[in-house]
Amino acid sequence: MAGFLDTVGNFLNTVSSIADAVSGKPIPEKKLEFAKALIPKPNEFVLYVGAYDWGAGAYAAVVNTGRMLDSSLIKKEDFQVSVVTISSSSLNSAIGITKGERQIDDVYSSDSYGNKTDSPTPFITLRFPVGPEVEYSDPFCRNILNAVNDLFGLRIQNERLNLNITKMAGAVNPLASEFNFNTLASAGISMNYAYWTPALNQENAKIPLVIWLHGVTEGGGNPFVPLMGIKSVNLISNEIQKCFPNGAGILVPQCPTTWLETTSVDPMGFRIWEPIDIQGTIKKYAGPMLDLLTKYTSMQNPIGTDADGKPIGVTSYYTQALKALIDYHIATNPNIDKNRIYIGGCSAGGYMTINMLLNYPEFFAAAFPTCEVYVDNKISDNQIKLLAQTPMWFIHSRADKIAKPQVYDEPTVARIMAAGARDIHFTMYNDVRDLSGLYTDANGNPLIYDGHCSWIYVLNNDPTDNGISLFEWLSRQSL
């Protein structure tokens, strides 16, 4: 329930942050918040953040105490590290709400990059445990108190050494630091995005573009959240890039709220969310009330259809803005092959993948929706025929309780195949298990994650069919 409230809180707060913007005008690039390497100034710390299968984890902090200290003075038990909500404009946790305390694994004298040393030094490194079940491991403030998914701050204290370090110099993640960032204003919507282009051996070499759309909790105003929150940075890893002869460009847009907001509105003017299994539980229990509200108010019934006979609440409010962003990125990156534009995403991003295919059926060369949440009974037979024309690879887990396969992609895939699909694949896992070997259950078996987390398989290029991996298959697709 707490996770649901955090998601709703993030949505409600980020709605108010959407800027009115002039259509089609790019906004200057944002300053990088993650670096490949960074040295803290006196009385500052640098946060080291890893991107793991289960999400982002802050595993270390390098502190500059401002004075030379002998290693014999550094004792783990003397340190206390508080997690604090802060403003990204200050990066100073001297002020802010204390969220909790971080467990400390180790503390030692180090150089400015966290390497252990026995020599006198002003630098101290604190190591923290990270993991899917470790409290405050996630460095991003994804709750009702923070609308833009800022980093948490740390208040690092040591009374014996008279230390109270609260200012963050920045954060370090080598892969995230390789991305560039921009914001595009279109159709009254301002949307952040991260992008990366491989080094090319030939100036005129053409490369495909892989577009990855995040899930419901990675929206907001911090474009590092879609990169780090679900290990999307791995799209630029050698394991995936080697599947493409010259590499592939990567584009990771960030929705200000959630892709699930649709163009349909309720009587209060709020946009209706997709998806809901409106033909199931809601129809059974809320149907009679909705019929009355529809009859005697201006409310659109989300179970019904509009004046044109189309289902209510299916087209994302961000459809045109996302297409404008993609078009702008392609136009400003001439090495991208317009015949090899691939789109995929997880959960809400999977819904948006289907949504983009339906609205721009001849634009994308292939798609890979993952644990997608586009309710099958909202897709018409004619739309199914459109989807059948695009090579697609669906990925899901039988253990998914959030997006049940029988409501979403299972019937959709069956209908697409019946419509004469040109090239379709469907990888259904029994559950979602740790692939890193780092996390196990009490019996030493790979830890089983929430069944909705099928993106773990995708971002590790695990799905295969007839000996061909997902990204190898993707590299062969063209209009």
Side-chain angles (χ1 to χ4, degrees):
M1 177 60 70
F4 171 76
L5 291 176
D6 282 352
T7 298
V8 173
N10 180 57
F11 162 66
L12 292 176
N13 281 274
T14 50
V15 167
S16 63
S17 69
I18 301 175
D20 290 330
V22 179
S23 177
K25 290 187 178 180
I27 296 173
E29 295 195 5
K30 296 172 69 68
K31 182 179 179 181
L32 283 176
E33 298 176 21
F34 277 79
K36 185 175 183 179
L38 194 61
I39 299 176
K41 296 177 181 179
N43 298 311
E44 293 183 350
F45 71 90
V46 169
L47 191 66
Y48 284 71
V49 181
Y52 305 92
D53 287 343
W54 44 265
Y59 62 87
V62 175
V63 177
N64 186 340
T65 65
R67 63 185 188 270
M68 301 297 287
L69 292 172
D70 190 89
S71 61
S72 63
L73 298 174
I74 311 306
K75 308 291 184 184
K76 183 177 77 170
E77 58 269 22
D78 293 335
F79 283 85
Q80 179 181 9
V81 179
S82 303
V83 177
V84 182
T85 57
I86 60 172
S87 167
S88 61
S89 61
S90 67
L91 293 181
N92 193 329
S93 47
I95 55 175
I97 302 172
T98 300
K99 177 96 172 164
E101 305 298 321
R102 284 234 51 182
Q103 181 182 344
I104 303 172
D105 270 351
D106 195 11
V107 180
Y108 52 83
S109 296
S110 70
D111 64 15
S112 58
Y113 296 110
N115 300 303
K116 192 171 185 177
T117 180
D118 292 326
S119 302
T121 174
F123 299 101
I124 298 172
T125 293
L126 299 93
R127 304 283 302 198
F128 311 118
V130 293
E133 299 174 346
V134 175
E135 195 170 23
Y136 307 122
S137 181
D138 187 347
F140 294 109
C141 184
R142 292 190 260 185
N143 60 38
I144 197 168
L145 297 176
N146 196 301
V148 293
N149 285 338
D150 284 332
L151 286 172
F152 280 118
L154 297 181
R155 189 178 294 134
I156 302 171
Q157 297 174 307
N158 184 317
E159 185 176 350
R160 191 166 67 87
L161 295 178
N162 194 28
L163 293 178
N164 184 28
I165 310 296
T166 62
K167 188 173 182 181
M168 186 191 304
V172 169
N173 180 278
L175 279 181
S177 72
E178 292 191 31
F179 281 82
N180 295 297
F181 300 87
N182 206 347
T183 304
L184 188 75
S186 179
I189 297 168
S190 182
M191 189 177 295
N192 297 324
Y193 63 99
Y195 64 97
W196 178 87
T197 303
L200 301 175
N201 294 327
Q202 298 179 354
E203 182 179 352
N204 297 322
K206 290 291 186 179
I207 57 171
L209 178 65
V210 178
I211 303 163
W212 176 254
L213 305 177
H214 61 77
V216 72
T217 62
E218 285 79 44
N222 186 339
F224 285 96
V225 177
L227 290 181
M228 307 282 289
I230 52 173
K231 199 182 173 182
S232 304
V233 290
N234 210 47
L235 292 168
I236 71 172
S237 68
N238 181 62
E239 290 76 14
I240 289 179
Q241 286 293 314
K242 70 181 181 181
C243 296
F244 304 90
N246 293 312
I250 304 298
L251 178 63
V252 184
Q254 184 182 35
C255 181
T257 57
T258 172
W259 306 116
L260 302 179
E261 278 192 81
T262 73
T263 54
S264 301
V265 296
D266 64 17
M268 300 297 293
F270 293 104
R271 286 182 284 275
I272 296 172
W273 278 34
E274 159 75 26
I276 301 173
D277 183 14
I278 58 174
Q279 300 298 332
T281 304
I282 286 183
K283 183 175 183 178
K284 179 179 179 181
Y285 294 104
M289 182 179 295
L290 289 171
D291 288 340
L292 287 173
L293 289 172
T294 303
K295 183 176 181 179
Y296 295 107
T297 74
S298 60
M299 176 180 176
Q300 290 181 309
N301 188 339
I303 293 177
T305 58
D306 62 17
D308 297 323
K310 297 179 180 179
I312 298 298
V314 293
T315 301
S316 175
Y317 171 70
Y318 295 102
T319 301
Q320 294 181 16
L322 178 58
K323 181 58 163 57
L325 189 156
I326 294 170
D327 289 341
Y328 174 79
H329 183 70
I330 293 172
T332 54
N333 290 269
N335 290 107
I336 293 175
D337 185 347
K338 296 179 181 179
N339 290 320
R340 292 187 291 161
I341 309 299
Y342 313 133
I343 189 167
C346 60
S347 190
Y351 151 79
M352 194 61 171
T353 297
I354 301 295
N355 175 75
M356 295 303 286
L357 292 178
L358 293 176
N359 283 277
Y360 307 100
E362 298 180 356
F363 183 80
F364 301 98
F368 53 111
T370 304
C371 54
E372 59 93 356
V373 289
Y374 200 119
V375 180
D376 173 71
N377 56 31
K378 285 191 173 185
I379 306 176
S380 70
D381 290 340
N382 286 334
Q383 289 176 320
I384 287 290
K385 293 177 182 178
L386 287 178
L387 294 178
Q389 301 305 308
T390 301
M392 300 179 72
W393 193 320
F394 288 78
I395 304 95
H396 213 148
S397 161
R398 185 70 63 191
D400 193 339
K401 303 301 182 184
I402 295 175
K404 297 179 180 179
Q406 61 268 30
V407 176
Y408 300 97
D409 48 15
E410 273 193 328
T412 299
V413 170
R415 294 169 65 198
I416 292 173
M417 293 180 67
R422 181 161 62 93
D423 186 355
I424 189 167
H425 304 258
F426 193 11
T427 300
M428 177 68 76
Y429 292 91
N430 290 325
D431 50 34
V432 181
R433 300 183 174 228
D434 179 73
L435 299 178
S436 68
L438 298 175
Y439 305 99
T440 58
D441 61 19
N443 298 318
N445 298 314
L447 185 68
I448 297 179
Y449 297 113
D450 186 286
H452 189 52
C453 302
S454 304
W455 55 82
I456 289 177
Y457 293 120
V458 171
L459 295 172
N460 284 285
N461 197 25
D462 188 77
T464 58
D465 194 359
N466 292 322
I468 300 174
S469 72
L470 168 63
F471 286 98
E472 288 173 329
W473 169 83
L474 204 63
S475 71
R476 301 178 184 183
Q477 308 308 314
S478 181
L479 292 178

